[in-house]
Amino acid sequence: MNRQCQNPLCSIFLILALSITTLSNCINAQTFMEPPTANLNSTWVNNFSTLVRDNDSKRLQPILSRGTGSTGPWFSCGFYCNTSDTCLFALLLFPNSTLTRDAKVVWSANRNNPVSFKATLEFARDGNLVLNDAYGSLVWSTNTSGKSVSSLNLTETGNLVLFDRNNSTVWQSFDHPTDSLLPGQKLVSGQKLISNASSTNWGEGLYSLSIANQKLVAYYMYTGDSNTPGQQLYYQSGNEIKVPIDKTGRSYIQYEDGSFGEHNIGRAAQFMRLETDGHVKIYEWSELGWEEVRDLLSVFVGQCVYPMVCGNYGICSGEGQCSCPLALAEDKINYFKQESERQTNLGCSPNTPISCNYSQFHSFVELNNISYSSLSAAISIGETDSVNCKNRCLDRCSCKAAVFQYQWNSMGSCYLLPTVFSFKDVGQDNFTVAYVKVQNPPKKKSKTARIIMESCVGALFGAYFTITNILFFLREKNESKEVADGYLEQLPGTPTRFSYQQLRDLTQDFSKKLGEGGFGTVFKGTLRNGTKVAVKHLNKLELVEKTFLAEVETIGNIHHVNLVKLIGFCIEKSHRLLVYEYMSNGSLNEWIFSKNQVVSLRWMSRRKIILEIAKGLAYLHEGCRQKIFHLDIKPQNILLDENFNAKLADFGLSKLIDKDQSKVVTTIKGTPGYMAPEWLSSFITEKVDVYSFGVVVLEILCGRRNLDRSQPEEDMHLLSLFKRKAEEEQLLDIVDKYSEDMQLHGTEVVEKMKVAVWCLQNDFEKRPSMTVVVQVLEGALIDIGDNLDYDFTNPPILRTIAAAAAIDEEEQDVVAAQTVLLPSVLSGPR
Ligand SMILES: *[C@@H]1O[C@H](CO)[C@@H](O)[C@H](O)[C@H]1NC(C)=O
Ligand SMILES: *[C@@H]1O[C@H](CO)[C@@H](O)[C@H](O)[C@H]1NC(C)=O
Ligand SMILES: *[C@@H]1O[C@H](CO)[C@@H](O)[C@H](O)[C@H]1NC(C)=O
Ligand SMILES: *[C@@H]1O[C@H](CO)[C@@H](O)[C@H](O)[C@H]1NC(C)=O
Ligand SMILES: *[C@@H]1O[C@H](CO)[C@@H](O)[C@H](O)[C@H]1NC(C)=O
Ligand SMILES: *[C@@H]1O[C@H](CO)[C@@H](O)[C@H](O)[C@H]1NC(C)=O
Ligand SMILES: *[C@@H]1O[C@H](CO)[C@@H](O)[C@H](O)[C@H]1NC(C)=O
Ligand SMILES: *[C@@H]1O[C@H](CO)[C@@H](O)[C@H](O)[C@H]1NC(C)=O
Ligand SMILES: *[C@@H]1O[C@H](CO)[C@@H](O)[C@H](O)[C@H]1NC(C)=O
Ligand SMILES: *[C@@H]1O[C@H](CO)[C@@H](O)[C@H](O)[C@H]1NC(C)=O
Ligand SMILES: *[C@@H]1O[C@H](CO)[C@@H](O)[C@H](O)[C@H]1NC(C)=O
Ligand SMILES: *[C@@H]1O[C@H](CO)[C@@H](O)[C@H](O)[C@H]1NC(C)=O
């Protein structure tokens, strides 16, 4: 058997010098000398007795070999080991009869259970072929004991066969493929090719190829939510690949002449392999080496169908080019980075990892013009709208992204993804939007503070503990006393007082952020009785408790169907929180400004919403004991419940931010674009709300923002455009273009624009009161007057005189302005 070395010294040298590559050169000229068959009662030991190295310095100790002639392909099976002594009983394909280094493994018995030095292969007397490891324990067998097996033959096609005495096949390696097929080999329903885990890990990997329902199918295996394994179909054959049925009724594909498109089998060695990245490739030997002659599935469906073609979060375009979602976080750093600068197909990872402990900082990056088909791992929410779809994703810590497929109007199918595979860029609107969850880094300041605190606590914990405890105890006592003084016992119908811990519990530690506004951050929560609430954590307001409580009492006493109801509040140390009823359809801006033509409210809904906003405002201005100015009317502050009823949010809060109401000059937050001209002048009245309402009405009717930088310069300001179109008597031009229904009701819409004009008068005295607006909207015949002024001043942009600027999530330009208010406006109840 040992043909390279005739004397024992040489054998020892061979064993010792395994890693010296020059050695293989001395083998190169050799040809195979092993027999093609074996008889019962034979045993082979993995003892490095004969050696062949392939191109990757792996070695083979051949047991059986067979081939045709000296130039045709040859096969050899035996112990095949990598340099770390991980060995398989494997079958290799050689390009010719020379023991070259260019062999390819086309089958192996024990890829998931490798053996090592001294392992044995036994063709037992009872006909069983058994692989045992060095300690004699069973690793693999053909299970053919007692089946009258008479011989083990390696065929010329590379099939390892156990025959019985009647020459019929009892077992063959062709029935147990690994990741490759050889010419002539069939893949029959019930059998499966499974890729290697990687080029160095020979174990089973994540891709599989099999036959199902008379189709060739390819799957990607993943680990889903809570570690359950799952499969994602990524290829299913059509007419391009024939899947016939054999005599026994099983469907199969056969790797033979003409089976896979136009590529034919010549004389040269050839094989087909399911690669570690899910591709199915055919290789053929040529003078230059192994050549990839066909990328089977990609020919039919392109390069981007492979679920992990661009890794996690990657976006595949064209011929498999990969990129990462492009979006900047607040700190102007990209949300995503390439896993590897050189290998873009390894995917992307978030710069700030998604953390469930900081879910109040979660938001979404929106991807359009994409498709995403790896939905097997997704949790289907069924039919809903995109806002709810996003919210469901925020609700669920395991949700890494939401995919929303529009079906009709604003409705569509919503899927939550526990893992994000590659997206495909389709370069056109495909009615599919992906919302990829991202983590906004917590504000730097608080981070530093936390680190300092943690280190302090860490270092001084022992000494600190008692002191803090005492201080805390004292402060708690103090606080409860203050509260008792400041707040009377709870009356029915008044807001409930919650402790900070209670709110933490019902918001799951403030983990579900709904939004962020001028006054603070809003989180979703659920009361014990199941009622959903929105908890607003007010920005560092050093409010005197008495004032805060008085305001809460006032706001809590205001009940109207078109005002968001205050359910409760919390005041504890520096925390100030308000608990509101939960509005499941989010805010109006999400429904009227969508560039996506399918999400858009119908005319009936918009008309109803306009009336409801007017009613809410009228109540604030005239229906309560106390006149309340909203001062920040804009679509973000108009919320919609599950039936699309509109309710005003954030009313009364302007008062809360006044630290000292005895001062005439006060700081008020408004939003540019919605602020009446008199914000710049001496005093303001409730008519500033009427003006803002006019802007909102126009926005609803035109389906665009007042200031829309995506428009050509002359159309950027809706009010200027409105004026121009009014003069040209072409108001139909500006009715929401994205909504067919709005276009259909164009004349009615234009009619309603008159109300907006009235509300937008520069002279606030010419504007109607909200009560009158409601009457007009309800159809009362009130003479609006002919001398309406169409020369709207664009609402002031107060950047330059801003006393303090805050960043609003949507607008990025909420400003605070110093202005003089009539003292009566903001004082308490009269
Ligand atoms: C099996 O082989 C061993 C040695 O290889 C031999 O001693 C034994 O007699 C054989 N048994 C039979 C039944 O052939
Ligand atoms: C290795 O085992 C084979 C049988 O598989 C035997 O013929 C050969 O002598 C052994 N060689 C060494 C060096 O032990
Ligand atoms: C077999 O292939 C090797 C390359 O691996 C080549 O050097 C050799 O000439 C070929 N032998 C024959 C007989 O074609
Ligand atoms: C032999 O049988 C065992 C147990 O039934 C099974 O796990 C194993 O896969 C079988 N081996 C082959 C090669 O079919
Ligand atoms: C299998 O090999 C044995 C032993 O060499 C031989 O007698 C037999 O004819 C072979 N059977 C087939 C079907 O090739
Ligand atoms: C071989 O064939 C004969 C006749 O067809 C049959 O009687 C016998 O059972 C077969 N033996 C095996 C091992 O299948
Ligand atoms: C089995 O096949 C071999 C060669 O292929 C042949 O010589 C032998 O007669 C066959 N035996 C039977 C029982 O058919
Ligand atoms: C798969 O594993 C085999 C060993 O079983 C190895 O020779 C082959 O190169 C691997 N295939 C790929 C695509 O890495
Ligand atoms: C040898 O194979 C084992 C199992 O696939 C793998 O873990 C190991 O890294 C490989 N060693 C080398 C040097 O390739
Ligand atoms: C063998 O490996 C070397 C370097 O890794 C490579 O350049 C060469 O093309 C390989 N030979 C074949 C036939 O694949
Ligand atoms: C559009 O998206 C759907 C679902 O994601 C997908 O099935 C379809 O192929 C996509 N269309 C294009 C043109 O990619
Ligand atoms: C749940 O509790 C809140 C606050 O106490 C109350 O407003 C609401 O009506 C309750 N809901 C139900 C379904 O009991």
PDB file of all heavy atoms in Angstrom, residues 318 376 777:
ATOM      1  N   GLY A 318     -28.510  46.059  -8.060  1.00  0.00           N
ATOM      2  CA  GLY A 318     -27.856  45.655  -9.309  1.00  0.00           C
ATOM      3  C   GLY A 318     -27.292  44.252  -9.255  1.00  0.00           C
ATOM      4  O   GLY A 318     -27.983  43.292  -8.924  1.00  0.00           O
ATOM      5  N   SER A 376     -40.370  35.073   6.393  1.00  0.00           N
ATOM      6  CA  SER A 376     -40.740  33.893   7.178  1.00  0.00           C
ATOM      7  C   SER A 376     -40.458  34.089   8.657  1.00  0.00           C
ATOM      8  O   SER A 376     -41.185  33.603   9.504  1.00  0.00           O
ATOM      9  CB  SER A 376     -39.976  32.659   6.702  1.00  0.00           C
ATOM     10  OG  SER A 376     -40.330  32.368   5.398  1.00  0.00           O
ATOM     11  N   LEU A 777     -68.359  76.153   9.736  1.00  0.00           N
ATOM     12  CA  LEU A 777     -68.028  74.796   9.272  1.00  0.00           C
ATOM     13  C   LEU A 777     -69.253  73.895   9.319  1.00  0.00           C
ATOM     14  O   LEU A 777     -69.379  72.958   8.541  1.00  0.00           O
ATOM     15  CB  LEU A 777     -66.895  74.199  10.117  1.00  0.00           C
ATOM     16  CG  LEU A 777     -65.514  74.820   9.905  1.00  0.00           C
ATOM     17  CD1 LEU A 777     -64.519  74.240  10.908  1.00  0.00           C
ATOM     18  CD2 LEU A 777     -65.012  74.577   8.489  1.00  0.00           C
TER      19      LEU A 777
END
